[in-house]
Amino acid sequence: MKIAVLGTGMVGNALATKLVQIGHQVRMGSRSANSEAGQNWLRSVAGKGQIGTFADAAAFGEVIFDCTNGANSIAALRAAGAGNLRRKVLLQVGNPLDFSNGMPPTLTVCNTDSLGEQVQREFLEALVVKVLNTVNCEVMVQPSVVPGDHDLFLCGNDGPAKTKVTGWLCDWFGWKSDNIIDLGDITASRGMEMWMPLWLRLYSKIGHPHFNLRLMIGSR
Amino acid sequence: MKIAVLGTGMVGNALATKLVQIGHQVRMGSRSANSEAGQNWLRSVAGKGQIGTFADAAAFGEVIFDCTNGANSIAALRAAGAGNLRRKVLLQVGNPLDFSNGMPPTLTVCNTDSLGEQVQREFLEALVVKVLNTVNCEVMVQPSVVPGDHDLFLCGNDGPAKTKVTGWLCDWFGWKSDNIIDLGDITASRGMEMWMPLWLRLYSKIGHPHFNLRLMIGSR
């Protein structure tokens, strides 16, 4: 499949590398066509990928992973171009973290709105699915780094897009479909992004990012 | 033990009833000395408790459960009186939920501050422990309504107070100490309270509140 990965950070790297490894055609997008981070990634996968601008990548991809830094996601997606996102599934992965006031980061948007919603509102014809933002990038692409069953959330306004994403997460990364929880429409992004402060605290407590939560359910 | 339970809602009721059942002396506090909600509770425990104002209850308690509606907690604790909270462990349970704009509720404070922090800042001599706010009140007092291991978070600035609270949660309600996770100082209240939007979404999805999360941890 032709896949765009927007963003050259840790998350974009992990996803793009995994997607190349399993045989997809991947174009990584960044602000400039030939960014140093992009070139580093391309070398790391022995040239088995492509790099370009956000627009180059988005035009190429049948599916788009938005792994940009959440504070800049809207700008990056504008650079990608609304026309290049039209009718495509857009996996919106980044969290709206603000590091400008030091650690721990705060959220640039929360409570009454979310980045997932902002992206869907701005790009009305993209099929936005908020997903993967609740776990570390190594857990995203290899859930078995955390033993046992553990859960991933997703949300979005388009049912068929969520069904596709669920299938891809299972086929590409090894998630179990029973462990993927559809929280409903895109407004559930609020809760998914507001999980970050607790995740960050747990990260600090545990000392590494290879953890996740499992939902335990009793009877009514 | 002499225990104050501030708040006559579902959470106050569940905690006060359980504490009476296991033999503690409980005084439930509300805005008025003889509130209808307080009287209803007193009847439900066959008179084996006491009711009074927030100040009556706080003066009585060696330990204080703040189960007031989060939007009103500061006002309720002011009515309880700083002097009645001094040097006492204050289990701050309520979440700062704002229902004034309909469902789902938003938080009255989040991201850069939290109710737990506000309470500790205002009542400097109280030993504030944020705890129990991440689960439904029936799970609080009987964790076995959710099968298997699942986790509870707490935080606060006073180490000995957190140790005491951990012991009480185990002895009184049946939590396992291994499942109680100390997230550090009171600023961790942010993450614990910001879990609410995801909890509410899961509640809506699952259809009942008898669920909790279990932390699954891999290796470094």
Side-chain angles (χ1 to χ4, degrees), chain B residues 47-208:
Chain B
K48 294 181 186 156
Q50 304 171 39
I51 60 175
T53 62
F54 289 129
D56 292 334
F60 173 82
E62 301 165 81
V63 176
I64 296 165
F65 282 81
D66 170 22
C67 306
T68 58
N69 175 336
N72 303 322
S73 293
I74 297 287
L77 291 168
R78 284 180 186 155
N84 290 326
L85 307 178
R86 185 172 298 138
R87 309 294 309 149
K88 294 180 185 173
V89 176
L90 174 63
L91 294 93
Q92 207 281 300
V93 179
N95 280 303
L97 296 174
D98 178 1
F99 291 89
S100 66
N101 294 306
M103 293 297 289
T106 54
L107 298 176
T108 59
V109 55
C110 69
N111 202 22
T112 56
D113 198 2
S114 63
L115 180 58
E117 289 165 273
Q118 288 180 336
V119 169
Q120 184 63 85
R121 276 201 309 273
E122 169 111 10
F123 304 96
L124 288 171
E125 296 187 277
L127 307 173
V128 178
V129 177
K130 184 86 196 186
V131 68
L132 292 169
N133 73 303
T134 56
V135 294
N136 163 263
C137 58
E138 291 157 28
V139 180
M140 290 181 195
V141 298
Q142 191 184 340
S144 63
V145 301
V146 176
D149 283 298
H150 49 94
D151 297 310
L152 196 67
F153 303 110
L154 58 74
C155 72
N157 295 341
D158 190 84
K162 290 190 284 191
T163 303
K164 281 182 197 168
V165 168
T166 300
W168 296 332
L169 294 172
C170 296
D171 295 345
W172 299 347
F173 305 143
W175 286 91
K176 297 182 193 173
S177 60
D178 284 350
N179 294 342
I180 299 174
I181 300 174
D182 180 355
L183 291 173
D185 69 22
I186 195 68
T187 63
S189 298
R190 293 177 203 180
M192 289 171 61
E193 295 170 7
M194 289 169 80
W195 158 249
M196 270 302 98
L198 190 49
W199 187 92
L200 287 161
R201 206 76 186 205
L202 288 167
Y203 176 37
S204 166
K205 168 95 182 171
I206 294 166
H208 65 78

Side-chain angles (χ1 to χ4, degrees), chain A residues 8-87:
Chain A
T8 57
M10 273 175 56
V11 176
N13 260 270
L15 285 166
T17 298
K18 178 73 174 193
L19 292 167
V20 163
Q21 284 170 350
I22 60 175
H24 293 289
Q25 297 179 60
V26 177
R27 190 177 288 179
M28 181 183 270
S30 61
R31 258 173 290 191
S32 59
N34 231 335
S35 69
E36 195 176 325
Q39 290 179 50
N40 288 341
W41 171 73
L42 202 50
R43 271 191 295 275
S44 78
V45 294
K48 293 179 186 157
Q50 304 172 41
I51 59 173
T53 62
F54 288 130
D56 291 336
F60 173 83
E62 303 165 81
V63 175
I64 295 164
F65 282 81
D66 170 21
C67 306
T68 57
N69 175 336
N72 303 322
S73 293
I74 297 288
L77 291 168
R78 283 180 187 156
N84 290 325
L85 308 178
R86 184 172 299 138
R87 310 294 311 149

Side-chain angles (χ1 to χ4, degrees), chain A residues 104-112 134 145-150 153 155 181-195 197-198 201-202 205-208 210-220, chain B residues 104-112 134 145-150 153 155 181-195 197-198 201-202 205-208 210-220:
Chain A
T106 54
L107 299 176
T108 60
V109 56
C110 69
N111 202 21
T112 56
T134 55
V145 301
V146 176
D149 284 297
H150 49 94
F153 303 109
C155 71
I181 299 175
D182 179 355
L183 291 174
D185 69 23
I186 195 68
T187 63
S189 298
R190 293 177 203 179
M192 290 171 62
E193 296 170 6
M194 290 169 79
W195 159 247
L198 189 49
R201 206 77 187 204
L202 288 167
K205 167 95 183 172
I206 294 166
H208 65 77
H210 298 157
F211 64 88
N212 193 15
L213 59 83
R214 178 178 179 186
L215 194 59
M216 306 296 285
I217 305 178
S219 49
R220 191 173 292 270
Chain B
T106 54
L107 298 176
T108 59
V109 55
C110 69
N111 202 22
T112 56
T134 56
V145 301
V146 176
D149 283 298
H150 49 94
F153 303 110
C155 72
I181 300 174
D182 180 355
L183 291 173
D185 69 22
I186 195 68
T187 63
S189 298
R190 293 177 203 180
M192 289 171 61
E193 295 170 7
M194 289 169 80
W195 158 249
L198 190 49
R201 206 76 186 205
L202 288 167
K205 168 95 182 171
I206 294 166
H208 65 78
H210 297 156
F211 64 88
N212 193 14
L213 59 82
R214 179 179 178 184
L215 194 59
M216 305 296 286
I217 305 178
S219 50
R220 192 172 292 269

